[in-house]
Amino acid sequence: MTADNDEQAAFKLESAEGNLDSTYFAWSGSTSSDQPIYYRVQSPDFTIEFAHQQNMGGTSHIHAIYRENGNDYGAED
């Protein structure tokens, strides 16, 4: 990491820690490792989503996102 990355990471971590009382965790699905699941972490600053997909035939894959609220790619001011 460069100094700029370290500073940005420190800022984001401080912000996340400062918003813990306003951060929520949601879970949907089984607790068995071979079943699909979904979870979401929602704070005033960011959203994290993780979805484990289980397809027919045993194929599985994941979808995951990290989104900074108010900082969407391609958004116009």
Side-chain angles (χ1 to χ4, degrees), residues 32-53:
S32 175
S33 64
D34 63 344
Q35 296 298 311
I37 63 154
Y38 168 86
Y39 70 78
R40 178 182 184 120
V41 179
Q42 180 77 48
S43 90
D45 293 332
F46 64 86
T47 302
I48 297 171
E49 291 182 307
F50 178 92
H52 172 248
Q53 307 290 311

Side-chain angles (χ1 to χ4, degrees), residues 17-73:
E17 289 172 344
N19 284 311
L20 284 178
D21 289 343
S22 300
T23 300
Y24 299 92
F25 177 82
W27 175 276
S28 177
S30 174
T31 57
S32 175
S33 64
D34 63 344
Q35 296 298 311
I37 63 154
Y38 168 86
Y39 70 78
R40 178 182 184 120
V41 179
Q42 180 77 48
S43 90
D45 293 332
F46 64 86
T47 302
I48 297 171
E49 291 182 307
F50 178 92
H52 172 248
Q53 307 290 311
Q54 190 76 26
N55 295 333
M56 299 300 286
T59 304
S60 65
H61 63 279
I62 64 168
H63 295 264
I65 64 113
Y66 168 81
R67 176 180 166 246
E68 292 180 4
N69 302 336
N71 190 21
D72 289 325
Y73 176 76

